[in-house]
Amino acid sequence: EMDAKIKKAFKDLAVPPKPAATKVAIMIADLIRKAPSSGQDAVRKQLLQRYEEKGLIWEGGALPVLVTLINQVQEKPILEAVSLALWQVLIGFEGSEAAGAAKILVQLCKDKSLLVQAHATAALLELGSAGSHFRVQILEAGGLESLTTVIASIDSDEVITKQGVNKLIPYKPGQRQEAAAGALRILGQEPAAQELVARAGTMRHLISICETCTAPEGSKTREAAAGALFGFLQLSTNRALLVEAGGVPALIATADTASDEARMLAAGALWELSLEVDLRPDLIRAGAVPSLLALCAPGRSDATH
């Protein structure tokens, strides 16, 4: 039996959107976010159920409606709320179809609102994690290029001020870059993505994150960037590209000072680089050997070892 609050959410959703769309979208997101962690998946499953009432049929539940709403709204508060709801619905997504969400989410990465970008990049991370066919859809829609543009931008004080304050949905500086780097890491599983990074300039921007996100509040962003770099080094030409872009010192610094997860990923990236005989002198000159030896010390995780 569908929960009464979820039934109300379905009834209040409307295409074309009504003035209450912001409130309804946040209500949908809160049904998930405010549920106990053990019950959030159950809420999502209900929201994704086929819904029918008075001749109105929604295959896929709230997902196709949210995608349709995004296509029809321009008002910033509504778009921020609906993109938040779409992201929350897609967390842990296991479906085979996503109502064209890949294309619209890639488009939202270009929106002027930092919140919309943050929600879209986080949703792309979830959708890309759901399977190869979704990753291909994201790539075909220009997702790698759009995500690269997001990680290349900086949340300066001026940018944050221009964004303004949404009292209902807070924005944390660096939130969109962290999610975008995570989505890029997922896309790196696809051979087509390996081929695209050189043209998009993705590698140098990921390197920049590893170099600059050294404060504690940037640790997750740095971790995601190190993971993305590791993933993109499956291709031999990308290994050479990273070295040419000055990425070895950034990986060494990450391996020396970052979180345990970031250290492991940076060590993995250095391992990938070491597979190229011609690049080994670059690793030695940059000081990779002492850093890697330090990671072998007792107390490190088995994966890092």
Side-chain angles (χ1 to χ4, degrees):
E1 179 69 20
M2 185 174 285
D3 183 88
K5 290 182 179 179
I6 294 176
K7 280 186 177 180
K8 176 172 173 52
F10 275 119
K11 289 179 180 179
D12 290 343
L13 278 175
V15 179
K18 295 181 179 179
T22 299
K23 181 180 178 180
V24 175
I26 291 177
M27 180 181 73
I28 290 173
D30 284 347
L31 284 172
I32 299 170
R33 295 188 299 174
K34 294 184 178 180
S37 56
S38 59
Q40 290 181 354
D41 286 343
V43 176
R44 290 189 185 95
K45 285 181 180 179
Q46 288 204 45
L47 284 167
L48 292 170
Q49 284 180 9
R50 181 179 187 270
Y51 180 76
E52 180 176 357
E53 184 177 347
K54 297 180 180 179
L56 182 65
I57 300 174
W58 292 342
E59 297 288 351
L63 180 56
V65 182
L66 292 170
V67 171
T68 302
L69 279 173
I70 286 174
N71 273 315
Q72 296 188 4
V73 300
Q74 295 182 346
E75 297 87 347
K76 181 180 175 182
I78 300 178
L79 198 54
E80 290 176 345
V82 177
S83 60
L84 170 65
L86 182 56
W87 164 35
Q88 291 298 311
V89 166
L90 283 172
I91 292 175
F93 186 66
E94 296 179 347
S96 58
E97 298 294 335
K103 184 176 181 179
I104 193 66
L105 288 169
V106 169
Q107 292 173 358
L108 290 181
C109 289
K110 305 172 187 176
D111 193 84
K112 293 180 180 179
S113 166
L114 305 188
L115 275 171
V116 172
Q117 289 184 33
H119 300 156
T121 52
L124 285 171
L125 169 58
E126 297 296 335
L127 189 61
S129 300
S132 177
H133 65 294
F134 288 124
R135 293 192 289 272
V136 170
Q137 289 176 16
I138 293 168
L139 290 170
E140 289 177 345
L144 188 136
E145 294 84 354
S146 292
L147 290 165
T148 298
T149 299
V150 174
I151 64 167
S153 58
I154 299 173
D155 283 349
S156 63
D157 291 342
E158 181 182 355
V159 170
I160 296 295
T161 300
K162 188 175 180 180
Q163 160 67 22
V165 177
N166 184 321
K167 294 181 180 179
L168 298 175
I169 312 172
Y171 177 77
K172 180 185 73 173
Q175 180 181 343
R176 60 194 176 118
Q177 291 89 348
E178 178 184 331
L184 285 166
R185 179 182 179 183
I186 293 296
L187 290 182
Q189 298 177 33
E190 296 300 315
Q194 297 281 331
E195 301 281 352
L196 287 171
V197 290
R199 186 166 69 245
T202 309
M203 201 78 78
R204 60 188 173 87
H205 295 301
L206 290 169
I207 292 169
S208 178
I209 288 176
C210 288
E211 291 173 334
T212 59
C213 291
T214 55
E217 59 268 22
S219 61
K220 289 294 183 181
T221 306
R222 193 182 192 189
E223 189 177 294
L229 285 172
F230 183 17
F232 284 127
L233 294 179
Q234 306 305 307
L235 198 63
S236 177
T237 53
N238 286 344
R239 296 170 187 157
L241 179 64
L242 183 142
V243 173
E244 291 169 7
V248 175
L251 288 173
I252 292 172
T254 302
D256 286 345
T257 63
S259 65
D260 287 342
E261 178 73 10
R263 286 191 187 104
M264 179 191 73
L265 294 166
L270 291 169
W271 170 35
E272 287 287 347
L273 293 175
S274 72
L275 297 176
E276 299 292 328
V277 175
D278 292 344
L279 298 180
R280 290 174 185 172
D282 295 282
L283 295 175
I284 294 170
R285 281 194 295 270
V289 174
S291 293
L292 291 170
L293 287 173
L295 291 177
C296 294
R300 302 297 188 192
S301 68
D302 290 343
T304 302
H305 285 161

